[in-house]
Amino acid sequence: AQRVTQPEKLLSVFKGAPVELKCNYSYSGSPELFWYVQYSRQRLQLLLRHISRESIKGFTADLNKGETSFHLKKPFAQEEDSAMYYCALSGGLTGGGNKLTFGTGTQLKVEL
Amino acid sequence: DGGITQSPKYLFRKEGQNVTLSCEQNLNHDAMYWYRQDPGQGLRLIYYSQIVNDFQKGDIAEGYSVSREKKESFPLTVTSAQKNPTAFYLCASSIGPAGLNEQYFGPGTRLTVT
C-alpha cells in the first residue's frame, strides 16, 4: 500500500527564515515523489518532482530512500510562498504508476 | 486558466438524490482523475481513467460512479449510496500515467447535500 504522511498541518515562519516542509512515505517499491502547491484562490499545481532534480521558486526536495522522506526546503521564505503544500507519491513504472497518493497537506504561512 | 473545467462551482442537493459533476478538458490528455478534498484529509482518489472507455476505482469509490465515453469528458455521479457526499470535488488530467506526468487540476465543485 502507498501512504504519505505530512506531520504538520500548519507551519508558520518569518520572512527570510528557512523553510522545511516534512513528507514521509511508505511504499515497498521504487517511488516517484512530487510536491503540489495551492496558492490562495488558485488551482492546485505541480511545484516539483524528484525525478527532475530541479529547483523551482527556490524550493528543493531530495528523496532520501533510507529515511523514506521527501522534505521540501527553501533557505529564505518569501511572503508569496504562503500556500497549502501537498506531498504525493506514485509507484512509478514498476507498479501503481497510474495514480497518485496525496498527503494531508501543510499550510505554510510566511509572516513579516 | 482554462484547459480543464468543472461545473458548476457550487451544487446543492437534497439527500437521496443522485447528482452528476461535470469535468471537461481540451488538453488532449489521455488520463483523467476525480478526487475528494475534505478538511484535514488532503486529496483522496475516487476514480481514474487512463483511456477512453476504461476506468478504475480509486481509494474511496463506494457511492460514486463515472463514465469515460469521450476523451475530453469524465463526469462523476455521486449516488444516494454515498454516506457523506458533502465535500469539495477536484477533477484532474494528465497526458499519461500520473506517476510520470504532471496532473492539471480543475477549479473544483463544492457539493452540499442536505
Side-chain angles (χ1 to χ4, degrees):
Chain A
Q2 304 174 185
R3 185 169 180 175
V4 176
T5 302
Q6 292 181 253
E8 302 141 330
K9 282 188 179 179
L10 173 65
L11 182 64
S12 185
V13 302
F14 286 108
K15 180 180 175 181
V19 174
E20 184 179 50
L21 298 168
K22 296 191 189 309
C23 172
N24 288 91
Y25 67 89
S26 174
Y27 183 66
S28 57
S30 185
E32 300 289 338
L33 275 297
F34 305 80
W35 277 98
Y36 279 80
V37 61
Q38 188 166 27
Y39 301 102
S40 180
R41 287 184 287 278
Q42 293 188 29
R43 301 183 186 198
L44 191 62
Q45 59 188 284
L46 178 67
L47 179 62
L48 56 79
R49 65 189 91 179
H50 94 270
I51 198 170
S52 300
R53 297 182 180 276
E54 53 191 352
S55 173
I56 304 293
K57 298 184 178 182
F59 284 98
T60 59
D62 292 317
L63 178 59
N64 186 323
K65 291 187 177 181
E67 296 183 356
T68 60
S69 69
F70 188 56
H71 302 327
L72 184 68
K73 300 177 183 179
K74 185 171 183 176
F76 308 104
Q78 302 298 314
E79 217 180 330
E80 55 265 29
D81 296 329
S82 294
M84 178 67 88
Y85 292 80
Y86 292 96
C87 183
L89 174 150
S90 168
L93 283 174
T94 56
N98 292 331
K99 63 176 185 175
L100 286 179
T101 297
F102 283 83
T104 51
T106 297
Q107 180 71 47
L108 175 64
K109 184 177 179 183
V110 180
E111 300 184 73
L112 299 176
Chain B
D1 281 344
I4 181 163
T5 58
Q6 292 183 245
S7 62
K9 189 173 180 180
Y10 299 97
L11 192 53
F12 299 88
R13 280 293 182 270
K14 294 286 187 184
E15 197 174 320
Q17 294 179 338
N18 291 355
V19 59
T20 298
L21 281 60
S22 168
C23 178
E24 304 278 331
Q25 54 98 0
N26 62 3
L27 301 168
N28 200 33
H29 285 174
D30 284 319
M32 297 186 74
Y33 313 84
W34 274 105
Y35 295 93
R36 173 181 170 137
Q37 192 175 29
D38 295 284
Q41 297 197 53
L43 277 73
R44 292 182 290 167
L45 183 64
I46 303 173
Y47 267 98
Y48 62 105
S49 168
Q50 295 301 300
I51 200 167
V52 175
N53 293 321
D54 187 42
F55 49 83
Q56 289 79 38
K57 292 182 179 180
D59 300 317
I60 55 165
E62 187 175 348
Y64 300 97
S65 66
V66 293
S67 63
R68 188 84 188 278
E69 297 176 1
K70 298 186 294 182
K71 188 176 187 177
E72 58 270 21
S73 179
F74 191 41
L76 173 74
T77 296
V78 184
T79 75
S80 56
Q82 168 50 233
K83 296 189 188 322
N84 188 18
T86 294
F88 188 64
Y89 290 88
L90 279 171
C91 180
S93 69
S94 60
I95 195 165
L100 302 174
N101 300 279
E102 177 177 358
Q103 287 195 5
Y104 292 80
F105 285 83
T109 292
R110 186 167 297 280
L111 173 65
T112 302
V113 177
T114 57

